[in-house]
């Protein structure tokens, strides 16, 4: 399996040699070489009755990221959910304000005269 994974890596390096530096972060360009590497590692692991993912396959995947994709960043920021305490405050604040506002509207709508 070690020799075959080296073959998978060599084939990936060959495919990546056709990719220019400016194209390294474009998924439509690197999708095929990356998928070929992953597919090769997965196919041979299953064919030779190795588990997948395994330490050797992960090493080659990490190596590909280190050598080719470490300078790729997302153009758009990734948004995450706020922490639970902030989320709870954002939910509870309007809920707590509703009874106060209803009381205020009823109190201000009374003009002291029986209707």
């Amino acid at each position: 399996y070690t020799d075959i994974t080296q073959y998978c890596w060599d084939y990936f390096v060959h495919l990546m040699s056709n990719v220019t530096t400016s194209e390294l972060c474009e998924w439509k360009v690197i999708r095929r070489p990356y998928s070929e590497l992953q597919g090769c590692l997965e196919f041979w692991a299953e064919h030779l009755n190795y588990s997948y993912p395994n330490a050797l396959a992960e090493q080659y995947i990490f190596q590909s990221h280190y050598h080719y994709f470490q300078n790729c960043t997302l153009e758009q920021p990734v948004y995450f959910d706020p922490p639970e305490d902030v989320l709870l405050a954002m939910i509870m604040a309007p809920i707590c304000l509703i009874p106060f506002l209803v009381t205020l509207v009823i109190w201000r709508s009374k003009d002291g005269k029986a209707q």
Side-chain angles (χ1 to χ4, degrees):
Y1 183 68
T2 304
D3 294 338
I4 292 174
T5 55
Q6 183 61 46
Y7 164 77
C8 295
W9 174 255
D10 293 340
Y11 184 61
F12 172 74
V13 170
H14 168 71
L15 292 175
M16 291 301 290
S17 68
N18 298 324
V19 177
T20 64
T21 306
S22 62
E23 297 174 324
L24 280 178
C25 297
E26 294 183 34
W27 178 245
K28 64 183 180 181
V29 176
I30 60 146
R31 174 180 23 185
R32 180 174 174 259
Y34 191 82
S35 296
E36 289 284 336
L37 174 63
Q38 184 179 3
C40 182
L41 295 169
E42 185 174 358
F43 172 79
W44 285 107
E46 290 176 5
H47 185 71
L48 297 173
N49 293 324
Y50 277 73
S51 63
Y52 185 87
N54 56 56
L56 191 55
E58 286 181 357
Q59 177 185 345
Y60 281 108
I61 295 295
F62 288 140
Q63 187 174 339
S64 72
H65 285 256
Y66 179 76
H67 284 288
Y68 294 100
F69 315 123
Q70 70 178 353
N71 292 326
C72 296
T73 58
L74 296 174
E75 292 178 9
Q76 298 177 357
V78 177
Y79 298 107
F80 297 101
D81 289 338
E84 288 185 25
D85 54 342
V86 173
L87 186 61
L88 184 61
M90 291 173 66
I91 293 170
M92 293 304 295
I95 292 173
C96 293
L97 282 175
I98 290 172
F100 172 74
L101 294 174
V102 168
T103 304
L104 183 63
V105 167
I106 291 172
W107 179 67
R108 295 292 290 163
S109 66
K110 289 184 178 181
D111 58 0
K113 298 178 185 175
Q115 294 183 9

